Amino acid sequence: MALVTTEKMFKDAYDGGYAIGAFNVNNMEIVQGITEAANELNSPLILQVSSGARKYANHTYLMKLVEAAVQETDIPIALHLDHGDTFELCKSCIDGGFTSVMIDGSHLDYEDNIALTRQVVEYAHAHGVVVEAELGRLAGIEDEVNVSAEDSSYTDPDEVEDFVTRTGCDSLAIAIGTSHGAYKFKPGTDIKLRFDILDEVAKRLPGFPIVLHGASSVIPEFVEMINANGGALEDALGCPEPMLREAARRAVCKINIDSDLRLAMTGTVRRVFNESPAEFDPRKYLGPARDAIRELVRHKITDVLGSDGKA
Ligand code: G3H
Ligand code: 13P
Ligand code: ZN
């Protein structure tokens, strides 16, 4: 099967009350762990690449890894640019074989966000590529940009119809209280996601796919594994998985997960080094890290996203 866009995946997910996992990839073991899990569970899949990942691993290497994943599996896979911040970056990914791009103009004024998104949509659609846009601003860290909680803002449902109509975007990321990174909610807080905003947005945009960024759960098992093996992460809470499952039953069709992969990988590598300090064969720590990613993604697909068996 060739790389696909997210169009059919999202329609099926919306109608079926589940979501597609969009997992960030940076190297071969991450691509393999994710795609093996999705293939075993017959789940559609989005592999996403940030501009930082593209700088780290190089466009061609990432393309070839994803092409290998497509060749080795029987599931629909979309290749998506995560948090594109300029027209030029989006164009470069479209020209280079991505099937989906995000243009993130959420830090811009409303009208500037519309103008930039519209420009990307026109180019993308002319090349058979779909576009995710963002309205509202998440807190947390992505690439070098750190948005404080005070500078974050929920999506205003009054704006979404106008924004989607004028930009022509294919899916919309909204801010309902999730945030990027491993420190989302302070321990002891009563975690609330603004499902009222999600439902209000869905009412204004019937059938339109909504995207949730910052949706890692900061799984305690991996935080503990890191700290038990010489790490020093602060206590923090992520998005509770039952809430994500609920979002997937509603209008959310794409759920972005990166931090949980990082925690699983880092915890596993730290444990190997702690248990075997003399180890210096990369396969002996990257192999178990790949296994941990596979298990984690199996869990997400089955227990959080509900996309198993939907390929
Ligand atoms: O939302 C951002 C993703 O976690 C990607 O992170 O920009 O450090 O690759 P990165
Ligand atoms: P997390 O940091 O919660 O994994 O969010 C990832 C994300 O939104 C990528 O765009
Ligand atoms: Zn994000």
Side-chain angles (χ1 to χ4, degrees):
M1 198 181 270
L3 276 177
V4 298
T5 74
T6 53
E7 194 179 352
K8 181 176 183 314
M9 301 186 184
F10 285 169
K11 189 181 178 326
D12 292 348
Y14 200 103
D15 295 344
Y18 61 91
I20 312 296
F23 299 97
N24 286 73
V25 297
N26 294 277
N27 71 6
M28 182 186 78
E29 284 77 8
I30 298 175
V31 171
Q32 288 177 330
I34 296 166
T35 44
E36 283 167 13
N39 197 41
E40 282 162 24
L41 294 167
N42 201 32
S43 167
L45 176 66
I46 300 170
L47 295 174
Q48 58 186 12
V49 170
S50 69
S51 64
R54 204 159 166 266
K55 274 185 215 136
Y56 171 78
N58 168 302
H59 179 93
T60 310
Y61 278 90
L62 288 170
M63 268 320 290
K64 297 294 172 193
L65 286 173
V66 173
E67 280 168 16
V70 169
Q71 204 176 316
E72 290 291 316
T73 57
D74 296 316
I75 50 170
I77 300 178
L79 176 56
H80 174 76
L81 169 66
D82 189 28
H83 293 286
D85 57 350
T86 60
F87 172 78
E88 289 70 28
L89 174 58
C90 292
K91 179 178 182 302
S92 170
C93 289
I94 293 164
D95 294 346
F98 283 42
T99 55
S100 173
V101 293
M102 176 187 193
I103 178 68
D104 182 357
S106 60
H107 54 289
L108 301 173
D109 289 347
Y110 183 69
E111 289 298 329
D112 291 342
N113 188 357
I114 288 183
L116 178 60
T117 303
R118 179 76 219 156
Q119 187 190 11
V120 172
V121 166
E122 276 170 10
Y123 190 81
H125 285 184
H127 293 80
V129 170
V130 291
V131 178
E132 174 185 327
E134 180 164 336
L135 252 189
R137 202 157 187 219
L138 269 69
I141 300 169
E142 36 181 91
D143 271 333
E144 290 88 37
V145 184
N146 189 349
V147 182
S148 69
E150 302 81 66
D151 289 336
S152 65
S153 56
Y154 293 118
T155 303
D156 178 356
D158 284 342
E159 291 180 342
V160 297
E161 234 182 308
D162 180 63
F163 184 87
V164 167
T165 309
R166 287 172 63 198
T167 60
C169 66
D170 303 280
S171 61
L172 184 67
I174 63 169
I176 60 168
T178 64
S179 60
H180 290 107
Y183 304 107
K184 299 187 193 302
F185 304 100
K186 289 207 164 59
T189 48
D190 184 16
I191 298 173
K192 285 199 180 75
L193 295 184
R194 293 288 303 271
F195 283 108
D196 57 321
I197 294 178
L198 173 60
D199 289 347
E200 202 49 51
V201 167
K203 215 186 282 173
R204 314 290 176 97
L205 299 171
F208 193 80
I210 300 302
V211 178
L212 212 53
H213 282 248
S216 280
S217 298
V218 191
I219 295 177
E221 175 195 342
F222 295 115
V223 175
E224 283 157 23
M225 198 188 285
I226 289 173
N227 287 345
N229 290 288
L233 290 177
E234 289 165 33
D235 275 351
L237 302 173
C239 297
E241 291 187 337
M243 285 190 192
L244 296 170
R245 185 73 199 92
E246 183 53 40
R249 279 193 202 98
R250 302 187 191 199
V252 170
C253 296
K254 172 174 180 271
I255 290 188
N256 284 11
I257 297 169
D258 187 7
S259 295
D260 279 341
L261 301 172
R262 296 178 179 196
L263 293 168
M265 194 162 199
T266 303
T268 306
V269 171
R270 276 192 176 277
R271 189 177 60 189
V272 172
F273 283 136
N274 208 13
E275 288 171 358
S276 311
E279 187 56 68
F280 67 98
D281 180 345
R283 295 169 297 188
K284 294 288 173 20
Y285 50 91
L286 292 177
R290 178 174 58 195
D291 294 344
I293 285 181
R294 189 191 306 111
E295 277 319 297
L296 172 66
V297 173
R298 284 182 66 91
H299 160 66
K300 295 285 183 185
I301 287 173
T302 312
D303 303 324
V304 181
L305 301 159
S307 63
D308 46 315
K310 311 291 191 194

